[in-house]
Amino acid sequence: TFSAQRYELWTMQSAYHNLPTIGGEQQAPGSKFAAADAVYAGDAAAASLSLSIAGAYPPEAGVVRWDRSFALSRGGNSAVTITDRFELSEAVPVTLSLMTPREPVVTTPGELTLPGDTDVRVSYDASQLDATVETIEVTDERLLPVWGERVYRVLLSSRGPVAEGDWTVRFSA
């Protein structure tokens, strides 16, 4: 995992992390490709984190602006909301990857469920995004004790090429 070939391993590629893939471009390797302008706030009722992830992508991705924010609301109606606001230099297909150990069930357009002791409902705008689910068999003996025999990748893909967007994905019990 620390050789020059590390990004040939699926586990090291940003397409298999909770990140966007922009026109086929993943987050680029190296310290010069990083998020910036991180701002955190939190108290007993809520927490938020916002940052620019534009600098994490190579020039080929054509990212003019990509702001990502996370909001946690605590308490009886707890939820996590991820918001992506972006502008690209040209319209390209964009996919948001969501990795999970729970087998997702697509219930209706705009919603899927991650079943478990407490089901997690994932909501998104079906007029902008289509959901597909991939099953990934875990064969690496070092990962099996941690991840189990499989993990799942939810792909929320733009319904066509996009040059800008304001997307929200919400996770709630």
Side-chain angles (χ1 to χ4, degrees):
T1 58
F2 295 100
S3 73
Q5 290 79 34
R6 73 176 288 170
Y7 295 105
E8 294 174 18
L9 301 170
W10 69 269
T11 55
M12 300 296 123
Q13 298 173 21
S14 72
Y16 294 89
H17 291 79
N18 298 330
L19 289 165
T21 299
I22 305 162
E25 296 292 330
Q26 298 180 50
Q27 178 181 351
S31 60
K32 73 177 189 172
F33 296 103
D37 304 324
V39 176
Y40 169 80
D43 59 28
S48 65
L49 172 69
S50 62
L51 60 158
S52 169
I53 62 172
Y57 289 82
E60 297 79 17
V63 180
V64 175
R65 175 182 59 86
W66 197 298
D67 299 318
R68 177 167 265 201
S69 64
F70 304 87
L72 166 66
S73 57
R74 308 176 203 265
N77 293 319
S78 61
V80 173
T81 304
I82 302 170
T83 303
D84 287 298
R85 291 183 176 97
F86 62 91
E87 179 184 349
L88 307 173
S89 60
E90 64 180 285
V92 296
V94 175
T95 300
L96 305 177
S97 295
L98 303 172
M99 301 300 294
T100 178
R102 296 181 177 191
E103 184 173 6
V105 177
V106 179
T107 51
T108 62
E111 185 174 299
L112 56 98
T113 301
L114 305 176
D117 292 340
T118 300
D119 290 351
V120 175
R121 181 178 154 213
V122 181
S123 306
Y124 58 93
D125 185 344
S127 72
Q128 297 177 326
L129 300 166
D130 288 321
T132 57
V133 177
E134 293 180 351
T135 302
I136 302 167
E137 300 298 328
V138 176
T139 57
D140 187 318
E141 295 294 327
R142 296 166 294 181
L143 298 177
L144 280 167
V146 179
W147 290 1
E149 295 179 0
R150 64 194 53 81
V151 294
Y152 303 91
R153 181 167 75 149
V154 177
L155 299 170
L156 297 176
S157 302
S158 60
R159 298 190 65 122
V162 294
E164 60 185 24
D166 187 346
W167 297 345
T168 299
V169 180
R170 186 173 190 269
F171 300 81
S172 58

mmCIF file of all heavy atoms in Angstrom, residues 48-89:
data_model
loop_
_atom_site.group_PDB
_atom_site.id
_atom_site.type_symbol
_atom_site.label_atom_id
_atom_site.label_comp_id
_atom_site.label_asym_id
_atom_site.label_seq_id
_atom_site.Cartn_x
_atom_site.Cartn_y
_atom_site.Cartn_z
ATOM 1 N N SER A 48 -21.038 21.238 12.511
ATOM 2 C CA SER A 48 -20.910 21.406 11.060
ATOM 3 C C SER A 48 -19.444 21.517 10.688
ATOM 4 O O SER A 48 -18.608 21.961 11.477
ATOM 5 C CB SER A 48 -21.672 22.640 10.587
ATOM 6 O OG SER A 48 -21.093 23.802 11.136
ATOM 7 N N LEU A 49 -19.161 21.095 9.477
ATOM 8 C CA LEU A 49 -17.830 21.203 8.888
ATOM 9 C C LEU A 49 -18.024 21.584 7.432
ATOM 10 O O LEU A 49 -18.831 20.970 6.729
ATOM 11 C CB LEU A 49 -17.072 19.864 8.973
ATOM 12 C CG LEU A 49 -15.742 19.792 8.237
ATOM 13 C CD1 LEU A 49 -14.708 20.681 8.910
ATOM 14 C CD2 LEU A 49 -15.248 18.356 8.152
ATOM 15 N N SER A 50 -17.330 22.596 6.988
ATOM 16 C CA SER A 50 -17.365 22.950 5.569
ATOM 17 C C SER A 50 -15.935 23.114 5.078
ATOM 18 O O SER A 50 -15.046 23.490 5.840
ATOM 19 C CB SER A 50 -18.170 24.236 5.340
ATOM 20 O OG SER A 50 -17.559 25.314 6.005
ATOM 21 N N LEU A 51 -15.721 22.811 3.807
ATOM 22 C CA LEU A 51 -14.395 22.927 3.221
ATOM 23 C C LEU A 51 -14.501 22.955 1.707
ATOM 24 O O LEU A 51 -15.509 22.561 1.136
ATOM 25 C CB LEU A 51 -13.489 21.783 3.672
ATOM 26 C CG LEU A 51 -13.882 20.350 3.354
ATOM 27 C CD1 LEU A 51 -12.639 19.476 3.403
ATOM 28 C CD2 LEU A 51 -14.886 19.818 4.348
ATOM 29 N N SER A 52 -13.445 23.436 1.097
ATOM 30 C CA SER A 52 -13.341 23.407 -0.354
ATOM 31 C C SER A 52 -12.524 22.180 -0.736
ATOM 32 O O SER A 52 -11.394 22.021 -0.278
ATOM 33 C CB SER A 52 -12.645 24.661 -0.878
ATOM 34 O OG SER A 52 -12.344 24.488 -2.253
ATOM 35 N N ILE A 53 -13.095 21.320 -1.583
ATOM 36 C CA ILE A 53 -12.341 20.144 -2.037
ATOM 37 C C ILE A 53 -11.857 20.321 -3.475
ATOM 38 O O ILE A 53 -11.305 19.394 -4.062
ATOM 39 C CB ILE A 53 -13.139 18.839 -1.862
ATOM 40 C CG1 ILE A 53 -14.420 18.820 -2.685
ATOM 41 C CG2 ILE A 53 -13.430 18.578 -0.383
ATOM 42 C CD1 ILE A 53 -15.127 17.471 -2.689
ATOM 43 N N ALA A 54 -12.025 21.513 -4.033
ATOM 44 C CA ALA A 54 -11.614 21.762 -5.424
ATOM 45 C C ALA A 54 -10.137 21.443 -5.636
ATOM 46 O O ALA A 54 -9.759 20.843 -6.646
ATOM 47 C CB ALA A 54 -11.910 23.211 -5.809
ATOM 48 N N GLY A 55 -9.294 21.822 -4.692
ATOM 49 C CA GLY A 55 -7.857 21.622 -4.833
ATOM 50 C C GLY A 55 -7.411 20.183 -4.721
ATOM 51 O O GLY A 55 -6.242 19.873 -4.964
ATOM 52 N N ALA A 56 -8.313 19.282 -4.371
ATOM 53 C CA ALA A 56 -7.968 17.867 -4.259
ATOM 54 C C ALA A 56 -7.986 17.152 -5.608
ATOM 55 O O ALA A 56 -7.572 16.007 -5.709
ATOM 56 C CB ALA A 56 -8.928 17.174 -3.288
ATOM 57 N N TYR A 57 -8.459 17.858 -6.636
ATOM 58 C CA TYR A 57 -8.615 17.245 -7.960
ATOM 59 C C TYR A 57 -7.623 17.827 -8.944
ATOM 60 O O TYR A 57 -7.255 19.000 -8.866
ATOM 61 C CB TYR A 57 -10.065 17.425 -8.441
ATOM 62 C CG TYR A 57 -10.999 16.549 -7.652
ATOM 63 C CD1 TYR A 57 -11.475 16.947 -6.406
ATOM 64 C CD2 TYR A 57 -11.347 15.287 -8.116
ATOM 65 C CE1 TYR A 57 -12.287 16.117 -5.643
ATOM 66 C CE2 TYR A 57 -12.156 14.452 -7.364
ATOM 67 C CZ TYR A 57 -12.619 14.872 -6.127
ATOM 68 O OH TYR A 57 -13.407 14.046 -5.371
ATOM 69 N N PRO A 58 -7.203 17.015 -9.934
ATOM 70 C CA PRO A 58 -6.250 17.500 -10.930
ATOM 71 C C PRO A 58 -6.927 18.494 -11.879
ATOM 72 O O PRO A 58 -8.155 18.530 -11.983
ATOM 73 C CB PRO A 58 -5.832 16.225 -11.678
ATOM 74 C CG PRO A 58 -7.026 15.335 -11.575
ATOM 75 C CD PRO A 58 -7.606 15.614 -10.205
ATOM 76 N N PRO A 59 -6.142 19.288 -12.608
ATOM 77 C CA PRO A 59 -6.720 20.255 -13.549
ATOM 78 C C PRO A 59 -7.659 19.616 -14.572
ATOM 79 O O PRO A 59 -8.631 20.234 -14.995
ATOM 80 C CB PRO A 59 -5.499 20.866 -14.239
ATOM 81 C CG PRO A 59 -4.374 20.658 -13.280
ATOM 82 C CD PRO A 59 -4.686 19.376 -12.548
ATOM 83 N N GLU A 60 -7.399 18.364 -14.941
ATOM 84 C CA GLU A 60 -8.235 17.670 -15.925
ATOM 85 C C GLU A 60 -9.690 17.532 -15.478
ATOM 86 O O GLU A 60 -10.587 17.367 -16.304
ATOM 87 C CB GLU A 60 -7.675 16.268 -16.225
ATOM 88 C CG GLU A 60 -6.303 16.252 -16.843
ATOM 89 C CD GLU A 60 -5.171 16.463 -15.841
ATOM 90 O OE1 GLU A 60 -5.371 16.311 -14.620
ATOM 91 O OE2 GLU A 60 -4.059 16.807 -16.288
ATOM 92 N N ALA A 61 -9.940 17.608 -14.177
ATOM 93 C CA ALA A 61 -11.310 17.502 -13.667
ATOM 94 C C ALA A 61 -12.101 18.778 -13.948
ATOM 95 O O ALA A 61 -13.330 18.751 -13.920
ATOM 96 C CB ALA A 61 -11.304 17.197 -12.172
ATOM 97 N N GLY A 62 -11.412 19.880 -14.208
ATOM 98 C CA GLY A 62 -12.087 21.129 -14.551
ATOM 99 C C GLY A 62 -12.899 21.729 -13.414
ATOM 100 O O GLY A 62 -13.910 22.379 -13.648
ATOM 101 N N VAL A 63 -12.447 21.523 -12.179
ATOM 102 C CA VAL A 63 -13.188 22.050 -11.028
ATOM 103 C C VAL A 63 -12.876 23.535 -10.856
ATOM 104 O O VAL A 63 -11.740 23.917 -10.601
ATOM 105 C CB VAL A 63 -12.848 21.283 -9.738
ATOM 106 C CG1 VAL A 63 -13.625 21.854 -8.561
ATOM 107 C CG2 VAL A 63 -13.121 19.796 -9.904
ATOM 108 N N VAL A 64 -13.883 24.354 -11.026
ATOM 109 C CA VAL A 64 -13.765 25.788 -10.756
ATOM 110 C C VAL A 64 -13.992 26.019 -9.265
ATOM 111 O O VAL A 64 -13.256 26.760 -8.611
ATOM 112 C CB VAL A 64 -14.793 26.585 -11.593
ATOM 113 C CG1 VAL A 64 -14.762 28.063 -11.227
ATOM 114 C CG2 VAL A 64 -14.547 26.372 -13.081
ATOM 115 N N ARG A 65 -15.022 25.345 -8.722
ATOM 116 C CA ARG A 65 -15.358 25.474 -7.296
ATOM 117 C C ARG A 65 -16.075 24.199 -6.868
ATOM 118 O O ARG A 65 -16.925 23.678 -7.598
ATOM 119 C CB ARG A 65 -16.281 26.678 -7.097
ATOM 120 C CG ARG A 65 -16.804 26.872 -5.686
ATOM 121 C CD ARG A 65 -17.754 28.066 -5.599
ATOM 122 N NE ARG A 65 -18.917 27.962 -6.458
ATOM 123 C CZ ARG A 65 -20.061 27.334 -6.126
ATOM 124 N NH1 ARG A 65 -20.186 26.762 -4.956
ATOM 125 N NH2 ARG A 65 -21.080 27.296 -6.963
ATOM 126 N N TRP A 66 -15.704 23.678 -5.694
ATOM 127 C CA TRP A 66 -16.440 22.567 -5.104
ATOM 128 C C TRP A 66 -16.394 22.734 -3.597
ATOM 129 O O TRP A 66 -15.361 22.524 -2.966
ATOM 130 C CB TRP A 66 -15.864 21.212 -5.492
ATOM 131 C CG TRP A 66 -16.854 20.102 -5.237
ATOM 132 C CD1 TRP A 66 -17.383 19.725 -4.027
ATOM 133 C CD2 TRP A 66 -17.473 19.264 -6.208
ATOM 134 N NE1 TRP A 66 -18.271 18.705 -4.187
ATOM 135 C CE2 TRP A 66 -18.347 18.404 -5.522
ATOM 136 C CE3 TRP A 66 -17.362 19.158 -7.584
ATOM 137 C CZ2 TRP A 66 -19.112 17.436 -6.168
ATOM 138 C CZ3 TRP A 66 -18.120 18.200 -8.230
ATOM 139 C CH2 TRP A 66 -18.985 17.340 -7.523
ATOM 140 N N ASP A 67 -17.508 23.143 -3.053
ATOM 141 C CA ASP A 67 -17.636 23.324 -1.615
ATOM 142 C C ASP A 67 -18.477 22.189 -1.063
ATOM 143 O O ASP A 67 -19.571 21.920 -1.563
ATOM 144 C CB ASP A 67 -18.297 24.670 -1.287
ATOM 145 C CG ASP A 67 -17.467 25.835 -1.806
ATOM 146 O OD1 ASP A 67 -16.229 25.794 -1.667
ATOM 147 O OD2 ASP A 67 -18.062 26.778 -2.353
ATOM 148 N N ARG A 68 -17.948 21.536 -0.044
ATOM 149 C CA ARG A 68 -18.657 20.413 0.584
ATOM 150 C C ARG A 68 -18.872 20.761 2.049
ATOM 151 O O ARG A 68 -17.961 21.243 2.714
ATOM 152 C CB ARG A 68 -17.846 19.131 0.443
ATOM 153 C CG ARG A 68 -18.494 17.927 1.140
ATOM 154 C CD ARG A 68 -17.854 16.634 0.734
ATOM 155 N NE ARG A 68 -18.642 16.056 -0.360
ATOM 156 C CZ ARG A 68 -18.608 14.774 -0.685
ATOM 157 N NH1 ARG A 68 -17.806 13.942 -0.049
ATOM 158 N NH2 ARG A 68 -19.357 14.313 -1.661
ATOM 159 N N SER A 69 -20.072 20.516 2.517
ATOM 160 C CA SER A 69 -20.352 20.765 3.930
ATOM 161 C C SER A 69 -21.081 19.576 4.532
ATOM 162 O O SER A 69 -21.787 18.834 3.835
ATOM 163 C CB SER A 69 -21.168 22.039 4.115
ATOM 164 O OG SER A 69 -22.433 21.918 3.507
ATOM 165 N N PHE A 70 -20.858 19.408 5.829
ATOM 166 C CA PHE A 70 -21.470 18.347 6.602
ATOM 167 C C PHE A 70 -22.176 19.004 7.774
ATOM 168 O O PHE A 70 -21.605 19.866 8.427
ATOM 169 C CB PHE A 70 -20.413 17.384 7.160
ATOM 170 C CG PHE A 70 -19.532 16.784 6.121
ATOM 171 C CD1 PHE A 70 -18.383 17.439 5.699
ATOM 172 C CD2 PHE A 70 -19.831 15.549 5.571
ATOM 173 C CE1 PHE A 70 -17.560 16.876 4.741
ATOM 174 C CE2 PHE A 70 -19.005 14.985 4.608
ATOM 175 C CZ PHE A 70 -17.868 15.652 4.190
ATOM 176 N N ALA A 71 -23.406 18.606 8.019
ATOM 177 C CA ALA A 71 -24.150 19.135 9.161
ATOM 178 C C ALA A 71 -24.711 17.958 9.949
ATOM 179 O O ALA A 71 -25.350 17.071 9.379
ATOM 180 C CB ALA A 71 -25.273 20.046 8.692
ATOM 181 N N LEU A 72 -24.450 17.962 11.245
ATOM 182 C CA LEU A 72 -24.968 16.950 12.148
ATOM 183 C C LEU A 72 -25.966 17.629 13.063
ATOM 184 O O LEU A 72 -25.621 18.598 13.746
ATOM 185 C CB LEU A 72 -23.843 16.338 12.979
ATOM 186 C CG LEU A 72 -24.266 15.506 14.200
ATOM 187 C CD1 LEU A 72 -25.010 14.247 13.787
ATOM 188 C CD2 LEU A 72 -23.051 15.165 15.051
ATOM 189 N N SER A 73 -27.197 17.146 13.049
ATOM 190 C CA SER A 73 -28.169 17.608 14.037
ATOM 191 C C SER A 73 -28.338 16.486 15.047
ATOM 192 O O SER A 73 -28.554 15.334 14.673
ATOM 193 C CB SER A 73 -29.497 17.987 13.378
ATOM 194 O OG SER A 73 -30.019 16.903 12.646
ATOM 195 N N ARG A 74 -28.205 16.829 16.312
ATOM 196 C CA ARG A 74 -28.250 15.836 17.393
ATOM 197 C C ARG A 74 -29.643 15.821 18.013
ATOM 198 O O ARG A 74 -30.411 16.746 17.833
ATOM 199 C CB ARG A 74 -27.227 16.182 18.462
ATOM 200 C CG ARG A 74 -25.821 16.400 17.957
ATOM 201 C CD ARG A 74 -24.921 16.838 19.115
ATOM 202 N NE ARG A 74 -23.754 17.564 18.696
ATOM 203 C CZ ARG A 74 -22.552 17.043 18.476
ATOM 204 N NH1 ARG A 74 -22.381 15.748 18.592
ATOM 205 N NH2 ARG A 74 -21.542 17.800 18.128
ATOM 206 N N GLY A 75 -29.943 14.789 18.741
ATOM 207 C CA GLY A 75 -31.195 14.748 19.474
ATOM 208 C C GLY A 75 -32.196 13.813 18.839
ATOM 209 O O GLY A 75 -31.837 12.912 18.071
ATOM 210 N N GLY A 76 -33.475 14.062 19.120
ATOM 211 C CA GLY A 76 -34.556 13.185 18.684
ATOM 212 C C GLY A 76 -34.664 13.003 17.190
ATOM 213 O O GLY A 76 -35.002 11.934 16.711
ATOM 214 N N ASN A 77 -34.397 14.022 16.420
ATOM 215 C CA ASN A 77 -34.448 13.931 14.953
ATOM 216 C C ASN A 77 -33.046 14.036 14.377
ATOM 217 O O ASN A 77 -32.796 14.819 13.464
ATOM 218 C CB ASN A 77 -35.343 15.041 14.372
ATOM 219 C CG ASN A 77 -36.795 14.839 14.749
ATOM 220 O OD1 ASN A 77 -37.284 13.716 14.736
ATOM 221 N ND2 ASN A 77 -37.481 15.904 15.096
ATOM 222 N N SER A 78 -32.136 13.240 14.920
ATOM 223 C CA SER A 78 -30.744 13.337 14.484
ATOM 224 C C SER A 78 -30.603 12.964 13.013
ATOM 225 O O SER A 78 -31.317 12.113 12.494
ATOM 226 C CB SER A 78 -29.849 12.459 15.355
ATOM 227 O OG SER A 78 -30.247 11.111 15.258
ATOM 228 N N ALA A 79 -29.682 13.655 12.359
ATOM 229 C CA ALA A 79 -29.422 13.416 10.938
ATOM 230 C C ALA A 79 -28.053 13.977 10.578
ATOM 231 O O ALA A 79 -27.525 14.853 11.276
ATOM 232 C CB ALA A 79 -30.490 14.086 10.079
ATOM 233 N N VAL A 80 -27.509 13.465 9.513
ATOM 234 C CA VAL A 80 -26.289 14.015 8.914
ATOM 235 C C VAL A 80 -26.646 14.415 7.491
ATOM 236 O O VAL A 80 -27.233 13.622 6.747
ATOM 237 C CB VAL A 80 -25.137 12.989 8.905
ATOM 238 C CG1 VAL A 80 -23.949 13.524 8.124
ATOM 239 C CG2 VAL A 80 -24.733 12.619 10.321
ATOM 240 N N THR A 81 -26.312 15.637 7.132
ATOM 241 C CA THR A 81 -26.575 16.141 5.794
ATOM 242 C C THR A 81 -25.264 16.529 5.146
ATOM 243 O O THR A 81 -24.464 17.255 5.738
ATOM 244 C CB THR A 81 -27.520 17.362 5.845
ATOM 245 O OG1 THR A 81 -28.718 16.979 6.526
ATOM 246 C CG2 THR A 81 -27.855 17.855 4.456
ATOM 247 N N ILE A 82 -25.043 16.031 3.933
ATOM 248 C CA ILE A 82 -23.865 16.399 3.139
ATOM 249 C C ILE A 82 -24.373 17.239 1.969
ATOM 250 O O ILE A 82 -25.267 16.817 1.234
ATOM 251 C CB ILE A 82 -23.124 15.158 2.599
ATOM 252 C CG1 ILE A 82 -22.689 14.252 3.748
ATOM 253 C CG2 ILE A 82 -21.928 15.572 1.747
ATOM 254 C CD1 ILE A 82 -22.159 12.901 3.295
ATOM 255 N N THR A 83 -23.792 18.421 1.815
ATOM 256 C CA THR A 83 -24.178 19.303 0.718
ATOM 257 C C THR A 83 -22.962 19.583 -0.151
ATOM 258 O O THR A 83 -21.901 19.941 0.363
ATOM 259 C CB THR A 83 -24.761 20.629 1.254
ATOM 260 O OG1 THR A 83 -25.869 20.320 2.102
ATOM 261 C CG2 THR A 83 -25.204 21.531 0.121
ATOM 262 N N ASP A 84 -23.117 19.392 -1.447
ATOM 263 C CA ASP A 84 -22.079 19.698 -2.432
ATOM 264 C C ASP A 84 -22.590 20.817 -3.323
ATOM 265 O O ASP A 84 -23.637 20.670 -3.961
ATOM 266 C CB ASP A 84 -21.759 18.468 -3.288
ATOM 267 C CG ASP A 84 -20.981 17.418 -2.525
ATOM 268 O OD1 ASP A 84 -19.856 17.723 -2.101
ATOM 269 O OD2 ASP A 84 -21.497 16.295 -2.350
ATOM 270 N N ARG A 85 -21.842 21.927 -3.368
ATOM 271 C CA ARG A 85 -22.130 23.030 -4.283
ATOM 272 C C ARG A 85 -20.893 23.185 -5.156
ATOM 273 O O ARG A 85 -19.799 23.391 -4.648
ATOM 274 C CB ARG A 85 -22.416 24.311 -3.506
ATOM 275 C CG ARG A 85 -23.706 24.260 -2.746
ATOM 276 C CD ARG A 85 -24.016 25.576 -2.021
ATOM 277 N NE ARG A 85 -25.320 25.471 -1.398
ATOM 278 C CZ ARG A 85 -25.510 25.148 -0.118
ATOM 279 N NH1 ARG A 85 -24.474 24.919 0.662
ATOM 280 N NH2 ARG A 85 -26.735 25.065 0.368
ATOM 281 N N PHE A 86 -21.104 23.070 -6.467
ATOM 282 C CA PHE A 86 -19.929 23.040 -7.331
ATOM 283 C C PHE A 86 -20.176 23.725 -8.660
ATOM 284 O O PHE A 86 -21.307 23.903 -9.103
ATOM 285 C CB PHE A 86 -19.470 21.594 -7.561
ATOM 286 C CG PHE A 86 -20.482 20.718 -8.246
ATOM 287 C CD1 PHE A 86 -20.502 20.609 -9.624
ATOM 288 C CD2 PHE A 86 -21.410 19.996 -7.509
ATOM 289 C CE1 PHE A 86 -21.429 19.793 -10.266
ATOM 290 C CE2 PHE A 86 -22.343 19.177 -8.135
ATOM 291 C CZ PHE A 86 -22.346 19.072 -9.517
ATOM 292 N N GLU A 87 -19.052 24.087 -9.270
ATOM 293 C CA GLU A 87 -19.033 24.646 -10.621
ATOM 294 C C GLU A 87 -17.842 24.030 -11.337
ATOM 295 O O GLU A 87 -16.728 23.993 -10.805
ATOM 296 C CB GLU A 87 -18.889 26.161 -10.573
ATOM 297 C CG GLU A 87 -18.850 26.819 -11.922
ATOM 298 C CD GLU A 87 -18.618 28.327 -11.839
ATOM 299 O OE1 GLU A 87 -18.689 28.895 -10.730
ATOM 300 O OE2 GLU A 87 -18.340 28.909 -12.903
ATOM 301 N N LEU A 88 -18.090 23.544 -12.558
ATOM 302 C CA LEU A 88 -17.051 22.920 -13.379
ATOM 303 C C LEU A 88 -16.856 23.737 -14.642
ATOM 304 O O LEU A 88 -17.763 24.452 -15.073
ATOM 305 C CB LEU A 88 -17.463 21.484 -13.732
ATOM 306 C CG LEU A 88 -17.847 20.584 -12.550
ATOM 307 C CD1 LEU A 88 -18.395 19.253 -13.040
ATOM 308 C CD2 LEU A 88 -16.662 20.379 -11.625
ATOM 309 N N SER A 89 -15.695 23.615 -15.257
ATOM 310 C CA SER A 89 -15.405 24.384 -16.471
ATOM 311 C C SER A 89 -16.188 23.891 -17.675
ATOM 312 O O SER A 89 -16.363 24.619 -18.649
ATOM 313 C CB SER A 89 -13.907 24.366 -16.780
ATOM 314 O OG SER A 89 -13.459 23.036 -16.986
#
